[in-house]
Amino acid sequence: MDFKVIGFNYPLLVGLQDVLNVSLDHEVEKSVNTPSKKYVTDAKAMAAAPANIKEYLDLYVFVLDMPGMKSEEFKVEVEDNNVLLVTGMRRREDDKEKEVKYMRTERRIGKLERKFVFPENSNIDAVLDVCLDGVLTISVNKFPPHEPKKPRTIEVKVG
């Protein structure tokens, strides 16, 4: 609570404000500003696969970095007829070896997920994905543009 915002600046109220800021604001900040564990996990998963999206005259191309992943370790789906969903799980190669001690780990492991909303003119029935050298390329054809209707002349009758 900030009494100065509403125009009060009396010493007693300022002291009360200091007490309230310590006791109430800490709890409010903790409950409101602290992201949930699921949110943090999902945000990390979303950031785990950087992407570029390119538009050509007749198609859209989604390019995602998937270093070290095999094509069977991720899945490409279309949801709700307009959402491209790429999910997967990145694991360490040597998870089974108990003798390994990592000195440094910078390569992200775990769940990854990316969602993209297709533009309206996307032909989701013509989606092609290719994974080569750790780069997943998903191509989506565009529908041809609608031909503009020719103007129609209407005869005006006097009557």
Side-chain angles (χ1 to χ4, degrees), residues 102-150:
Y102 283 90
M103 303 299 290
R104 181 181 203 119
T105 56
E106 294 181 359
R107 296 179 70 197
R108 173 163 261 302
I109 59 167
K111 175 183 171 186
L112 69 89
E113 177 180 293
R114 292 302 307 263
K115 286 186 178 185
F116 305 96
V117 177
F118 287 123
E120 286 185 26
N121 63 343
S122 300
N123 181 0
I124 59 167
D125 294 326
V127 176
L128 173 70
D129 62 339
V130 175
C131 187
L132 181 64
D133 296 333
V135 177
L136 175 62
T137 304
I138 303 167
S139 302
V140 182
N141 289 330
K142 291 181 180 181
F143 285 118
H146 295 292
E147 292 291 323
K149 290 184 177 181
K150 294 181 182 178

